Amino acid sequence: MVTGMDNKWTQLWLKYEAKKANGNDKYFKSISCQGFDYNNKILKNAVDELIKGAKGMLGVTAECGFTGCQTAEESGSTVKDSLLKATLILEKDETVAAEGYRLLEKDGCLYIKASDEKGLLYGAFALLRAVACEKTVRGMDKTVIPDNPLRMYNHWDNMDNSIERGYSGDSFFFENNEVVVNERTRDYARFVASIGINGVVINNVNVKNCATWLITDRYFEKVAEMAEIFAEYGIKFFLSLNYAATIELGGIDSADPLDERVIGWWKQKMAEVFDRIPNLGGFLVKADSEGRPGPFTYGRTQADGANMLADIVKPYGGIIIWRCFVYNCTQDWRDYKTDRARAGYDNFIKMDGDYHDNVILQIKNGPMDFQIREPISPLLGGLKKTNQMLEVQIAQEYTGHQIDVCYLIPMFKEILDFKTYCKEGADTVADVISGRTLGNKNTGIAAVCNTGNDNNWTGNDLAAANFYGFGRLAFTTALSAEEILDEWIRMTLSTDEDVVGTVKEIMLPSREVYENYTSPLGIGWMVTPHTHYGCSVDGYEYSRWGTYHRADHLGIGVDRSDKGTGYAQQYFEPNASIYNNIESCPENLLLFFHHVPYTYMLKTGKTLIQHIYDSHFEGVMQVEEMIAKWKSLKGKIADEVYELVEKRFDLQLYNAKEWRDQVNSYFWRKSGIADEKKRAIY
Ligand code: GCV
């Protein structure tokens, strides 16, 4: 376990190891700055990073002559001198949009131009990325403006230092019910700032026990210290809030959002909190969900709850991010009418337009819960007058626990590209969450993060591609999953073309591979209850969670058409009709929307049952191929990484075989239909 200053963790993609210069070294000889306040901490951090990167990657000791910079005293030169001889110029340029940057090479000088310090920091990291990827900066003229206003990581860390759905060790934010601030905090901030993250929630949305007290004197000092470090990297600090704090902290017998006592308590509390934690961006709230308290208890709406808090934090510039993961988690499995998939939309759509300006509804990508494949939540774009944020999960809760390799950026691309048909010309999910659809500013994207205090941060070294990739994609939605992966490999593993190519071959299709050996055609689940790793076909079939596959001896799937639960009708046309009709429904979502006979003929010319058998055999074969590819890299990447990943691959193969054999045997036994290819099924 990492404690105090025990600096053992890796530097991920900011290793700053020696690189081929390709002419880049000459630009890093001396750095100057024009138009920015030299004492600004973000600027200072940008410069420190440039100096460190130039030294490590290019062997150049950058001279830097302006105040606020680490080497100012050493160099002893004046600002004026430094401007004359500078090769790298950080320049204020009001024409560059907020948080954006322009990298420009001109007359032998390189400029990082930005209108604010955050943009400058992102520009510095972009330049270092180019150097790390051994791309020449000569002739460069590139302007990049972030697509999404809010780009956040949500951590589900608990104060006892466990992490809900964490697969990379324990929390580095908390230990023994205390807030931990050390060098690792700073490194975390550097990493996430380097990929453009500008907001972080440090504690679990299930706010219990000591975490409720994070908004009290008990923790203010440490929390403010952490928030200050984040601020120095352009990151707004957020906390998850216990909706029932009035009861648990305030001694009031209610959390009714319309009760004057409740409102009064929160007013006083927020004045205190924003005073003590100046860099606080606001709060994330999980209410009326999975046992968490909320306004429903008092017969109030979600809007009543969110607006009450939002109005109170507004004077401090705060926002309330309100999660839409509200559903009946005590369902009777015999009940075919209640459909968990419907719940988000049903609970939130009727109050569209009622949410105040500084409320953002945070919506999981699918209507269920981060399955390997599910449709896009119809709330995204369905809400026409409400600020929306997309929530995805890079913690691999249902996608292999960072044991199995599952590069998720292709899935996130699919989600962002989905056409909701909410507004002509600006109707993709990317449009909605960037603010292009509604012209609003309080929008964005958040991921449930996959980090912990393991030395390599993400348990499996390859899972760091998701940690890296989410930020890159959140900043620039148009980047392809391959471009992002390419960068990450070159910055983290090696710039050797063979390594780059082979790792891409392993990772790019890994989501489909995982899908092949787990639950078929969008039906989801079939996982071991509670842990959510490994196969258990009926694990949740007779439970209260609303997550059923409804397999019988004739077929499988949930009828969510107009003849079933009607979920398909929550979409705009033509999506509603496309999903409603078994013939037009995308086949990879077939079992999500329809109850389908095993003998149903798919467009591939295979029956459904044969598809299930084939995809499961194929999935295991693909894992075997991935492993062979990985083994070909021995000696070409760091031994430590090679070996750790190799061990995880052994576990993945075991897992894949269990899934294959359990799923195939289950459906063979249910259907009585043999595999055409007569392979081993039990
Ligand atoms: C933080 C799922 C997970 C829970 C998680 C919840 C949520 O149900 O299994 O661990 O709780 O989603 O997103 O709030």
Side-chain angles (χ1 to χ4, degrees):
M1 195 199 316
V2 172
T3 50
M5 303 290 279
D6 182 11
N7 196 344
K8 285 214 185 86
W9 49 92
T10 69
Q11 288 295 303
L12 294 170
W13 51 88
L14 297 183
K15 285 155 89 175
Y16 299 145
E17 284 176 343
K19 297 282 175 170
K20 275 193 211 113
N22 288 332
N24 290 337
D25 45 344
K26 67 170 187 256
Y27 301 104
F28 287 86
K29 298 227 161 70
S30 60
I31 306 174
S32 78
C33 176
Q34 296 176 38
F36 285 102
D37 170 7
Y38 297 153
N39 294 313
N40 182 280
K41 296 272 179 53
I42 300 177
L43 169 68
K44 179 186 173 305
N45 282 331
V47 174
D48 282 356
E49 217 60 50
L50 288 165
I51 290 172
K52 216 193 297 180
K55 179 94 193 123
M57 294 193 285
L58 303 168
V60 177
T61 305
E63 211 182 292
C64 177
F66 58 92
T67 331
C69 158
Q70 217 175 36
T71 60
E73 277 168 34
E74 297 158 41
S75 77
S77 53
T78 65
V79 173
K80 212 168 151 210
D81 293 341
S82 79
L83 275 179
L84 287 175
K85 60 182 180 185
T87 51
L88 177 56
I89 301 164
L90 317 181
E91 191 181 80
K92 189 158 187 123
D93 181 345
E94 300 290 356
T95 65
V96 181
E99 298 192 16
Y101 59 86
R102 180 175 177 200
L103 294 181
L104 172 70
E105 194 267 359
K106 210 174 88 185
D107 305 329
C109 285
L110 190 62
Y111 295 82
I112 306 177
K113 296 173 179 248
S115 57
D116 53 36
E117 288 84 3
K118 282 193 194 184
L120 198 67
L121 181 69
Y122 299 142
F125 278 120
L127 175 57
L128 292 166
R129 186 157 55 234
V131 173
C133 293
E134 301 182 340
K135 288 186 190 143
T136 176
V137 300
R138 199 180 322 116
M140 189 181 257
D141 186 0
K142 188 175 173 183
T143 302
V144 184
I145 310 301
D147 285 317
N148 294 295
L150 267 167
R151 308 172 296 276
M152 299 186 84
Y153 271 133
N154 291 179
H155 290 264
W156 288 355
D157 290 27
N158 299 315
M159 294 202 66
D160 62 3
N161 115 326
S162 64
I163 302 178
E164 184 152 349
R165 312 306 175 188
Y167 313 107
S168 322
D170 296 322
S171 173
F172 49 79
F173 291 131
F174 306 112
E175 208 175 289
N176 297 327
N177 294 322
E178 294 297 337
V179 177
V180 177
V181 183
N182 58 25
E183 271 311 297
R184 196 159 181 160
T185 321
R186 182 169 294 276
D187 271 348
Y188 168 83
R190 292 174 56 232
F191 297 143
V192 302
S194 77
I195 51 176
I197 295 293
N198 65 356
V200 170
V201 185
I202 60 162
N203 63 312
N204 190 356
V205 286
N206 292 323
V207 188
K208 294 177 193 162
N209 310 321
C210 288
T212 303
W213 292 77
L214 280 167
I215 51 168
T216 69
D217 217 23
R218 193 194 282 181
Y219 295 114
F220 280 146
E221 205 176 308
K222 278 283 171 196
V223 166
E225 204 186 320
M226 188 184 286
E228 177 56 28
I229 293 178
F230 284 7
E232 293 172 9
Y233 288 90
I235 302 160
K236 276 270 179 206
F237 183 88
F238 287 79
L239 289 170
S240 295
L241 200 65
N242 183 341
Y243 183 80
T246 44
I247 301 172
E248 290 181 39
L249 299 180
I252 299 167
D253 60 3
S254 171
D256 180 348
L258 304 189
D259 183 325
E260 284 306 327
R261 292 171 306 156
V262 170
I263 297 168
W265 186 84
W266 276 120
K267 276 191 176 154
Q268 216 178 349
K269 177 49 73 184
M270 289 304 179
E272 187 191 359
V273 172
F274 279 90
D275 177 52
R276 299 294 300 276
I277 316 170
N279 184 48
L280 190 64
F283 298 94
L284 176 64
V285 187
K286 171 175 178 176
D288 289 310
S289 173
E290 300 186 330
R292 303 315 302 144
F296 281 169
T297 315
Y298 306 93
R300 311 297 184 194
T301 66
Q302 296 295 299
D304 290 333
N307 291 340
M308 179 270 291
L309 288 170
D311 292 351
I312 294 171
V313 301
K314 194 168 181 156
Y316 313 103
I319 57 171
I320 295 296
I321 304 175
W322 193 266
R323 294 178 84 230
C324 295
F325 189 55
V326 177
Y327 69 100
N328 172 6
C329 66
T330 56
Q331 196 183 325
D332 182 346
W333 57 269
R334 299 166 191 85
D335 167 11
Y336 273 63
K337 284 207 190 77
T338 308
D339 181 4
R340 170 166 165 181
R342 291 189 58 113
Y345 189 94
D346 286 343
N347 278 318
F348 285 89
I349 203 76
K350 44 186 179 278
M351 290 151 310
D352 188 15
D354 291 349
Y355 298 91
H356 293 175
D357 209 36
N358 58 331
V359 173
I360 307 180
L361 295 189
Q362 184 166 297
I363 306 164
K364 287 193 183 186
N365 61 270
M368 297 300 266
D369 195 12
F370 303 134
Q371 300 302 292
I372 188 65
R373 190 175 297 275
E374 51 178 311
I376 310 305
S377 168
L379 257 187
L380 289 159
L383 292 160
K384 293 199 146 182
K385 289 173 265 173
T386 300
N387 297 326
Q388 294 157 67
M389 247 175 107
L390 171 66
E391 179 180 325
V392 295
Q393 190 187 44
I394 61 168
Q396 288 176 235
E397 176 178 357
Y398 295 97
T399 53
H401 281 205
Q402 286 142 245
I403 295 170
D404 300 27
V405 174
C406 193
Y407 179 52
L408 291 161
I409 308 305
M411 185 205 282
F412 301 162
K413 292 285 295 177
E414 239 172 63
I415 295 162
L416 291 167
D417 288 347
F418 179 74
K419 222 171 141 51
T420 67
Y421 295 97
C422 65
K423 183 188 176 188
E424 189 140 8
D427 64 353
T428 63
V429 170
D431 288 327
V432 172
I433 63 157
S434 63
R436 287 191 293 271
T437 307
L438 300 179
N440 47 350
K441 287 210 167 55
N442 280 333
T443 60
I445 180 166
V448 179
C449 201
N450 64 354
T451 51
N453 70 0
D454 277 0
N455 287 351
N456 66 3
W457 298 84
T458 54
N460 188 331
D461 292 87
L462 299 187
N466 290 327
F467 184 33
Y468 176 82
F470 169 78
R472 294 287 290 127
L473 187 67
F475 202 87
T476 306
T477 306
L479 286 174
S480 74
E482 182 171 357
E483 281 172 284
I484 293 172
L485 186 59
D486 189 282
E487 286 175 358
W488 174 78
I489 298 168
R490 287 174 200 276
M491 295 175 81
T492 310
L493 297 177
S494 170
T495 48
D496 175 287
E497 292 304 330
D498 188 29
V499 174
V500 175
T502 307
V503 175
K504 276 198 218 169
E505 282 172 25
I506 293 171
M507 295 184 71
L508 278 175
S510 58
R511 184 257 185 136
E512 269 78 23
V513 172
Y514 188 84
E515 181 180 29
N516 277 344
Y517 62 78
T518 58
S519 59
L521 304 181
I523 193 68
W525 313 94
M526 301 188 175
V527 285
T528 308
H530 312 302
T531 69
H532 300 168
Y533 186 77
C535 181
S536 176
V537 180
D538 279 342
Y540 277 122
E541 196 55 19
Y542 306 102
S543 75
R544 61 187 176 88
W545 296 96
T547 54
Y548 315 116
H549 56 64
R550 307 281 192 210
D552 56 25
H553 68 295
L554 295 174
I556 171 180
V558 181
D559 186 355
R560 294 190 164 103
S561 73
D562 52 358
K563 295 187 194 64
T565 71
Y567 165 80
Q569 274 56 59
Q570 293 184 336
Y571 292 88
F572 294 114
E573 289 295 356
N575 288 338
S577 300
I578 290 172
Y579 291 138
N580 199 57
N581 180 342
I582 189 167
E583 291 301 323
S584 56
C585 181
E587 278 189 342
N588 55 16
L589 288 171
L590 197 63
L591 304 181
F592 190 93
F593 283 99
H594 298 278
H595 187 82
V596 184
Y598 296 120
T599 51
Y600 180 82
M601 196 60 79
L602 300 176
K603 300 200 172 64
T604 52
K606 285 180 190 180
T607 58
L608 170 62
I609 190 76
Q610 196 56 41
H611 171 87
I612 292 176
Y613 297 148
D614 285 355
S615 57
H616 284 78
F617 282 110
E618 195 190 343
V620 172
M621 271 163 27
Q622 287 169 313
V623 175
E624 284 165 342
E625 282 163 22
M626 284 163 114
I627 294 175
K629 286 186 171 137
W630 186 253
K631 288 192 188 293
S632 77
L633 299 178
K634 193 172 167 65
K636 293 187 175 171
I637 51 177
D639 288 346
E640 213 176 64
V641 175
Y642 175 83
E643 278 154 25
L644 187 145
V645 174
E646 189 182 41
K647 284 201 190 95
R648 301 231 160 179
F649 267 132
D650 289 344
L651 299 173
Q652 179 171 4
L653 183 59
Y654 176 82
N655 186 39
K657 285 181 177 167
E658 279 302 313
W659 270 94
R660 175 195 65 192
D661 293 340
Q662 290 191 35
V663 169
N664 284 347
S665 301
Y666 180 95
F667 287 102
W668 175 59
R669 292 177 190 182
K670 277 253 151 148
S671 70
I673 302 173
D675 170 32
E676 282 170 3
K677 297 178 190 157
K678 301 192 172 45
R679 291 161 291 194
I681 293 179
Y682 304 88

